[in-house]
Every structure is written in C-alpha cells, then in structure tokens.
Amino acid sequence: MDCPSGGSIQKREEIKQLLREGHTKDEIKKLFVKKYGATVLISPPFSGFNLLVWTLPFVGIAAAGYFIYRYIKDREERMANAPKVSKKRTEEDEIEDELLRASIEEEMKKYR
C-alpha cells in the first residue's frame, strides 16, 4: 500500500536499507516491532491486551444477541400470561352504536 505521509516514506526507506544489508523479512518485522511497538503491524498479535481487543467485539455481539433473545422470550411469556380481554358486546354497546349511526345520518342529510 502506498501512503504518501512522511512517516511511511521514512519507514519504506528504512526497510529498503535493511534489505540491502541482508536482513530477512522476519528480522525486519522484529526490528520494527521492537522500535515502534506492535502498532506498526497491520494486525496486532493475539496476546496480552491485544487479545482483549480481538475478542471483545465478538463477546459484545454475542451478549447483545443473548439480551435480545431474552427480551423477546420474556415478552412472549408476558403476552401468554396476560389476561384475555373479552370482546363480548353488551346491549349498551349496541344501543350506543345505534345512536351514533343515527347522529351521523342526520349530519349527512344536512349536507346533501
């Protein structure tokens, strides 16, 4: 990857010099990690704090999935145990509906 920043140009030149001196790829990598730290690598090693950095996103996704699953299950249980609402129509409901229909009919006759 070509990066035009001054730091990367300097590092590329340093790598070229080390290759001219006969160092292997692994030796150069070790020298750079020693000099600049593990952040110089494209992917940090799977050890120490970096192990936490690698695994934490997956643990977070798994935990979120578990909490969503539990929320849905709890909600289903609450809905199953909720008291059933009776939809029986009473005589009062029918009388009220009839009065409303009559009132609507009267209003509609005014505008025809």
Side-chain angles (χ1 to χ4, degrees):
M1 209 184 274
D2 274 343
C3 182
S5 73
S8 65
I9 293 171
Q10 176 190 355
K11 287 178 180 131
R12 275 193 298 253
E13 290 301 319
E14 190 175 345
I15 290 170
K16 287 177 188 176
Q17 180 61 36
L18 290 170
L19 286 172
R20 277 188 233 120
E21 291 174 6
H23 291 278
T24 66
K25 182 179 176 183
D26 287 333
E27 290 173 339
I28 294 171
K29 188 187 275 189
K30 287 177 185 175
L31 286 170
F32 266 65
V33 169
K34 185 177 180 182
K35 185 174 182 179
Y36 299 107
T39 58
V40 77
L41 301 174
I42 289 175
S43 59
F46 295 106
S47 63
F49 178 74
N50 292 333
L51 186 61
L52 179 67
V53 172
W54 278 102
T55 58
L56 196 59
F58 300 108
V59 171
I61 291 169
Y66 172 76
F67 286 117
I68 291 170
Y69 169 79
R70 286 302 314 151
Y71 173 78
I72 291 170
K73 283 301 204 181
D74 290 345
R75 184 172 173 178
E76 286 176 354
E77 287 177 21
R78 281 195 309 263
M79 296 296 275
N81 295 333
K84 305 296 180 206
V85 177
S86 175
K87 293 191 177 183
K88 289 185 180 178
R89 292 183 54 85
T90 63
E91 189 175 324
E92 289 177 6
D93 291 336
E94 291 177 17
I95 293 170
E96 188 177 330
D97 284 349
E98 192 60 41
L99 289 171
L100 285 171
R101 273 191 221 108
S103 175
I104 290 170
E105 286 294 324
E106 283 181 39
E107 289 295 319
M108 288 176 66
K109 286 179 185 176
K110 290 179 185 178
Y111 298 102
R112 287 186 188 165

